[in-house]
Amino acid sequence: MLGRGFYQRPTVDVARDLLGKIVVRRNGEGDVAVRLTEVEAYVGVDDPACHTSGGRRTERVRSMWGEAGHAYVYLIYGLHHCLNVVTVGEGVGEAVLIRAGVVVSGWDLVRCRRGARVADRSLTDGPGKLCQALAVTRGDDGIDLCDPVGGLWICDDGFAVEESRCERHARVGVEHAGEAATWPLRFLYDPDS
DNA sequence: TCTAGGATCGGCT
DNA sequence: GCCGATCCTAGAT
């Protein structure tokens, strides 16, 4: 399991290093593990695309202002959940959005949660889909990813994404954020290449 | 209390 | 590849 120190670093570094890591979800139904293939950095008060931009402190984003290594889960479009990991430190308001991954174990559970008709490659290729596959909801907001009691954590199994396979792009769905929409804060790699 | 808009998804062409 | 559903959240009144 990644320790607190992993998250207490610059958000962009954490985002890059999360590629290839394994997110583990353990609850009464069993275990699911997903290797991360796509993440986005949201860099706080000076980032117009970030929920804490301008120093906003609303009830929804409370956990994003908390200690690094905790989860920030919010509802988007009224129906999809998005999972973020808080970075840097308390009072900073930065986080990494977990956008996509590939299932490495717990296939049966994921198919059950996502629906039997969903194609394998579509199981966890979006933020809302990933949360559904991991059974992450608003109730998981604020849990500590450095404490197994929460049933959600991230670990390093030694898999490393080579620099040549790591791509940086503009973030998705933040056109409203002006120039910040072009910042290359989206990190991804193609697991099939 | 009201209203606009959103870090998306899945079905259809 | 495009488009419509869907409802919570935050800010305005």
Side-chain angles (χ1 to χ4, degrees):
Chain A
M1 178 186 307
L2 298 175
R4 187 86 56 210
F6 179 88
Y7 305 102
Q8 291 171 322
R9 298 183 297 142
T11 305
V12 167
D13 295 349
V14 175
R16 165 65 183 85
D17 292 343
L18 277 173
L19 288 182
K21 296 293 188 291
I22 309 267
V23 178
V24 179
R25 176 56 154 170
R26 173 171 294 168
N27 65 12
E29 298 179 299
D31 288 10
V32 168
V34 172
R35 189 182 304 283
L36 300 181
T37 60
E38 184 178 343
V39 300
E40 282 179 0
Y42 284 84
V43 292
V45 297
D46 297 321
D47 177 0
C50 186
H51 287 174
T52 57
S53 77
R56 264 198 330 201
R57 284 176 179 269
T58 59
E59 184 56 34
R60 179 176 69 152
V61 301
R62 185 214 298 264
S63 55
M64 203 165 162
W65 290 102
E67 188 180 27
H70 286 247
Y72 165 48
V73 182
Y74 69 93
L75 201 55
I76 185 66
Y77 296 111
L79 65 164
H80 303 295
H81 293 280
C82 290
L83 170 64
N84 300 249
V85 297
V86 179
T87 54
V88 191
E90 197 158 353
V92 180
E94 301 193 17
V96 175
L97 169 68
I98 305 300
R99 284 192 59 86
V102 289
V103 178
V104 292
S105 71
W107 285 92
D108 292 346
L109 205 43
V110 170
R111 286 207 187 85
C112 179
R113 287 169 179 164
R114 293 278 297 121
R117 291 191 303 277
V118 176
D120 280 358
R121 66 180 203 180
S122 300
L123 287 174
T124 52
D125 64 346
K129 300 176 187 179
L130 195 66
C131 282
Q132 194 181 4
L134 295 174
V136 166
T137 65
R138 194 67 182 131
D140 295 302
D141 183 50
I143 65 172
D144 189 356
L145 302 175
C146 301
D147 185 342
V149 79
L152 185 66
W153 61 85
I154 303 176
C155 54
D156 183 353
D157 67 345
F159 180 91
V161 179
E162 297 154 35
E163 205 55 48
S164 60
R165 292 175 60 201
C166 175
E167 301 175 35
R168 288 187 70 161
H169 298 282
R171 291 175 294 186
V172 174
V174 293
E175 292 78 11
H176 61 93
E179 188 229 330
T182 67
W183 296 352
L185 295 179
R186 176 176 169 223
F187 297 80
L188 62 98
Y189 79 97
D190 181 357
D192 299 322
S193 68

